[in-house]
């Protein structure tokens, strides 16, 4: 009651003076405290000992929250692609590009024998370009100087002018009166996107392609990274000169089907990379029959078709389906200008297909890999120069053969033999007797010694899925005659001769 009465007195304006003063002060204090706590962080506040620690506490709390979130994530696909390369093929390329050999500027650098690049006729390309710069800019037909033909949008799958020029060039390269229809071409920024585009068109994620071994190491990237397809090695052996057999193909097909993996096609390299051998007409016919029997596609990579020398003739699968009664809808060819015409930096590849549905899809997919308009104008002018093309093809074949004979003869002096091949820009060297132990480990030990001690980058067979250890791909068209002597001296320094190691 003592509490109630004074309060009533205060409320009525009567009662004790002390309580009448304290209660309003207390109410005012609690109101100020309430408003202070409700005040936004942007409102200014007077400094005090009790509030001076608040900003630090806020920063510490925010930092803790950020750390608890972990690193900023990227996609699983990007994470897997961003990982360092563990293939000796790419490791060797990186090492050679980081310390490139030069006879004068860097004589102790790494000599690049792992890159399939043809520099033997660069002088012819350089001469033509310097003499035909005006035709490149304005067009061979002449006319007013204008950029309208290169600054405006062009068809993403290539202009008809370039397709017609490519058709004429390919007919000349392939020989044997093979003709190509420009409307069945889709042009891409290199053969890599051409092969990937075909994977998107022919297979779903998790489907597979059969690939004869040894095969080009970059197929594992080009075909699998974004499409999610699988590559099934079909092992070929040295006793058969690494030539594919239908029995090995059938065995791989049946084993893959047992795993309930759908096979959508066969990927062929003709001429073969890295071996350099050619598929005969008889084998191509057998492959077409096999594909029809299994209801699968055939993708034929013929990018080295113009780099044939010697007596053997190249037979394109286009010639077989054009002359005999086979199902054309399952045949697709890829080709490019980086090997036969030494224009790898220009980035021009091509899909040639007889399947209208594949062509329709591929044309739309080239939106992501179209060839630039200036590049197309350059190539139309170059490929239309018949005199230059004829001279280039003849000279190129002669220079490749001369360099190959010189390089192989040098290896034979060291007791190293190569497979019998007369095509492409490399040789397939047998170093089985030089590896310290028979197996992939011994092969990689020799590869590392050649790279680190001899300063020579070769491609070991294991990077090409070769089932037999001790084979190496040696690309010789980046060299000149003086370089060949240097290469042989460095190999001798590392491994000696065949007789001394055997």
């Amino acid at each position: 009651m003592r509490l109630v009465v004074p309060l009533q007195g205060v409320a009525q304006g009567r009662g004790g003076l002390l309580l009448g003063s304290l209660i309003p002060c207390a109410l005012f204090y609690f109101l100020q405290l309430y408003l202070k706590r409700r005040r936004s962080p942007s409102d200014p506040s007077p400094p005090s000992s009790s509030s001076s620690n608040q900003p630090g506490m806020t920063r510490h709390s925010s930092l803790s929250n950020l750390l608890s979130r972990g690193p900023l994530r990227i996609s699983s696909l990007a994470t897997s692609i961003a990982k360092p390369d563990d293939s000796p093929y790419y490791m060797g390329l990186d090492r050679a590009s980081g310390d490139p050999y030069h006879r004068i500027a860097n004589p102790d650098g790494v000599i690049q024998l792992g890159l399939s690049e043809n520099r033997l006729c660069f002088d012819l390309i350089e001469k033509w370009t310097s003499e035909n710069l005006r035709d490149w800019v304005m067009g061979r037909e002449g006319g007013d100087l204008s950029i309208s033909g290169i600054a405006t949008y062009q068809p993403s799958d290539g202009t008809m002018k370039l397709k017609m020029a490519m058709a004429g060039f390919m007919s000349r390269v392939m020989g044997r009166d093979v003709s190509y229809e420009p409307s069945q071409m889709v042009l891409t920024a290199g053969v890599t996107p051409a092969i990937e585009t075909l994977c998107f068109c022919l297979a779903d994620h998790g489907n597979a392609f059969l690939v004869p071994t040894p095969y080009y190491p970059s197929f594992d990237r080009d075909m699998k990274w974004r499409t999610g397809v699988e590559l099934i090695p079909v092992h070929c052996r040295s006793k058969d000169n690494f030539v594919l057999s239908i029995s090995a193909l059938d065995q791989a097909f049946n084993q893959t089907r047992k795993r309930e993996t759908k096979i959508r096609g066969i990927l062929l390299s003709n001429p073969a990379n890295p071996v350099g051998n050619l598929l005969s007409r008889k084998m191509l016919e057998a492959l077409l029959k096999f594909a029809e029997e299994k209801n699968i596609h055939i993708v034929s990579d013929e990018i080295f078709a113009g780099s044939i020398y010697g007596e053997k003739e190249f037979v394109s699968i286009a010639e077989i389906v054009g002359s005999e009664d086979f199902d054309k809808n399952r045949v697709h060819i890829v080709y490019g200008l980086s090997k036969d015409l030494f224009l790898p930096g220009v980035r021009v590849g091509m899909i040639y297909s007889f399947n209208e549905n594949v062509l329709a899809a591929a044309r739309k997919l080239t939106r992501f890999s179209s060839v630039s308009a200036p590049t197309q104008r350059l190539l139309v002018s170059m490929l239309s120069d018949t005199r230059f093309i004829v001279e280039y093809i003849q000279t190129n074949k002669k220079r490749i053969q001369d360099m190959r004979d010189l390089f192989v003869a040098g290896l034979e002096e060291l007791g190293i033999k190569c497979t019998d091949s007369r095509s492409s820009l490399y040789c397939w060297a047998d170093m089985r007797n030089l590896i310290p132990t028979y197996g992939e480990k011994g092969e990689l030990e020799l590869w590392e010694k050649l790279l680190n001690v001899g300063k020579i980058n070769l491609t070991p067979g294991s990077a090409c899925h070769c089932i037999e250890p001790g084979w190496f791909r040696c690309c010789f068209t980046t060299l000149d005659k003086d370089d060949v002597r240097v290469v042989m001296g460095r190999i001798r320094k590392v491994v000696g001769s065949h007789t001394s190691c055997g």
Side-chain angles (χ1 to χ4, degrees):
M1 293 300 294
R2 290 182 180 178
L3 289 174
V4 175
V5 173
L7 285 173
Q8 288 177 342
V10 171
Q12 295 171 1
R14 304 184 307 270
L17 177 62
L18 180 63
L19 289 176
S21 301
L22 287 176
I23 290 176
C25 290
L27 291 175
F28 179 77
Y29 172 79
F30 286 118
L31 177 62
Q32 290 293 320
L33 183 62
Y34 172 78
L35 292 175
K36 185 176 181 179
R37 291 185 176 180
R38 295 278 294 178
R39 184 180 297 147
S40 63
S42 61
D43 293 340
S45 58
S48 67
S49 59
S50 61
S51 63
S52 61
N53 293 330
Q54 188 66 28
M57 293 174 63
T58 303
R59 288 194 298 269
H60 179 74
S61 176
S62 299
L63 182 60
S64 298
N65 291 336
L66 288 173
L67 292 175
S68 65
R69 295 175 187 174
L72 188 63
R73 290 184 57 81
I74 61 175
S75 71
S76 299
L77 176 61
T79 300
S80 64
I81 292 174
K83 292 179 179 178
D85 293 310
D86 58 359
S87 168
Y89 173 70
Y90 294 108
M91 293 168 65
L93 292 180
D94 291 343
R95 176 69 184 281
S97 64
D99 182 24
Y101 167 82
H102 188 276
R103 189 179 301 111
I104 298 173
N106 190 21
D108 295 325
V110 178
I111 298 178
Q112 179 64 280
L113 301 181
L115 186 63
S116 181
E117 189 174 67
N118 183 3
R119 302 180 186 175
L120 299 179
C121 289
F122 181 72
D123 60 313
L124 301 182
I125 298 291
E126 192 173 42
K127 181 173 181 282
W128 183 92
T129 303
S130 63
E131 293 176 351
N132 294 270
L133 183 61
R134 183 177 182 277
D135 285 339
W136 169 27
V137 175
M138 300 180 60
R140 182 163 288 276
E141 68 277 4
D144 296 332
L145 181 61
S146 172
I147 65 168
S148 61
I150 60 176
T152 57
Y153 281 117
Q154 303 291 324
S156 62
D157 64 311
T159 63
M160 183 53 66
K161 283 186 178 180
L162 181 53
K163 291 179 181 180
M164 293 173 66
M166 284 285 290
F169 177 74
M170 289 177 62
S171 295
R172 192 174 299 278
V173 164
M174 307 297 181
R176 304 174 66 93
D177 298 324
V178 181
S179 60
Y180 295 87
E181 175 56 50
S183 63
Q184 293 172 210
M185 290 183 177
V186 174
L187 302 181
T188 60
V191 173
T192 294
I195 292 177
E196 185 192 53
T197 297
L198 281 176
C199 288
F200 278 122
C201 292
L202 305 180
D204 295 315
H205 191 283
N207 293 166
F209 286 85
L210 301 176
V211 190
T213 68
Y215 65 71
Y216 174 47
S218 282
F219 280 158
D220 290 320
R221 276 186 176 186
D222 301 350
M223 300 182 69
K224 295 167 63 174
W225 261 5
R226 299 196 295 184
T227 66
V229 302
E230 292 186 40
L231 301 186
I232 307 300
V234 181
H235 294 296
C236 306
R237 300 183 180 275
S238 58
K239 64 182 180 65
D240 303 315
N241 200 36
F242 294 100
V243 174
L244 176 64
S245 68
I246 298 298
S247 59
L249 199 64
D250 190 55
Q251 182 181 11
F253 181 90
N254 293 329
Q255 290 177 347
T256 305
R257 290 294 296 270
K258 288 180 180 178
R259 297 193 285 112
E260 298 184 353
T261 299
K262 293 182 180 179
I263 299 174
R264 293 303 188 193
I266 308 168
L267 174 63
L268 305 173
S269 293
N270 186 28
N273 182 5
V275 179
N277 50 27
L278 303 173
L279 291 175
S280 65
R281 173 182 292 272
K282 182 178 180 180
M283 175 54 67
L284 289 171
E285 292 173 349
L287 288 167
L288 285 166
K289 292 177 182 178
F290 180 87
E292 290 184 355
E293 177 187 338
K294 306 299 185 183
N295 194 29
I296 58 178
H297 295 268
I298 291 182
V299 177
S300 182
D301 180 358
E302 300 182 357
I303 193 172
F304 291 101
S307 301
I308 310 297
Y309 44 91
E311 299 179 355
K312 293 185 179 180
E313 288 186 303
F314 171 78
V315 181
S316 172
I317 198 169
E319 179 183 349
I320 306 297
V321 296
S323 61
E324 301 187 33
D325 188 21
F326 288 106
D327 182 6
K328 296 182 178 181
N329 283 320
R330 65 181 75 252
V331 176
H332 321 278
I333 299 169
V334 293
Y335 184 71
L337 301 178
S338 62
K339 309 301 181 183
D340 292 343
L341 202 55
F342 180 56
L343 294 173
V346 172
R347 306 304 301 157
V348 174
M350 182 215 63
I351 297 171
Y352 190 81
S353 179
F354 300 91
N355 190 309
E356 290 299 327
N357 290 329
V358 169
L359 289 172
R363 290 187 187 108
K364 294 181 179 180
L365 287 170
T366 55
R367 181 179 182 87
F368 306 103
S369 61
S370 57
V371 184
S372 71
T375 295
Q376 295 193 61
R377 174 173 285 190
L378 165 67
L379 292 175
V380 168
S381 183
M382 179 180 287
L383 297 178
S384 300
D385 189 342
T386 304
R387 181 178 178 179
F388 165 75
I389 293 299
V390 171
E391 178 188 1
Y392 182 91
I393 291 174
Q394 293 176 348
T395 305
N396 186 49
K397 290 184 177 184
K398 176 68 166 56
R399 291 183 181 180
I400 294 175
Q401 182 171 4
D402 289 347
M403 184 57 67
R404 193 260 182 195
D405 292 344
L406 180 65
F407 191 87
V408 170
L411 290 179
E412 288 180 348
E413 289 181 4
L414 299 175
I416 301 171
K417 294 186 177 182
C418 301
T419 56
D420 182 20
S421 63
R422 290 290 171 176
S423 65
S424 303
L425 315 179
Y426 38 76
C427 60
W428 189 234
D430 182 3
M431 300 188 186
R432 288 177 291 180
N433 289 336
L434 303 178
I435 59 178
T437 56
Y438 187 78
E440 182 177 343
K441 182 179 179 181
E443 176 185 276
L444 293 179
E445 286 180 7
L446 177 59
W447 169 75
E448 288 180 352
K449 193 173 182 181
L450 287 166
L451 181 61
N452 297 323
V453 179
K455 295 292 190 72
I456 302 172
N457 177 45
L458 309 177
T459 303
S462 56
C464 308
H465 298 268
C466 182
I467 198 172
E468 299 180 19
W471 291 87
F472 290 80
R473 188 185 75 163
C474 307
C475 301
F476 50 76
T477 52
T478 58
L479 309 174
D480 60 28
K481 293 181 180 180
D482 292 333
D483 294 334
V484 173
R485 286 192 288 269
V486 177
V487 168
M488 299 308 156
R490 292 188 179 190
I491 294 177
R492 181 179 290 106
K493 175 183 176 182
V494 173
V495 301
S497 67
H498 173 85
T499 54
S500 63
C501 294

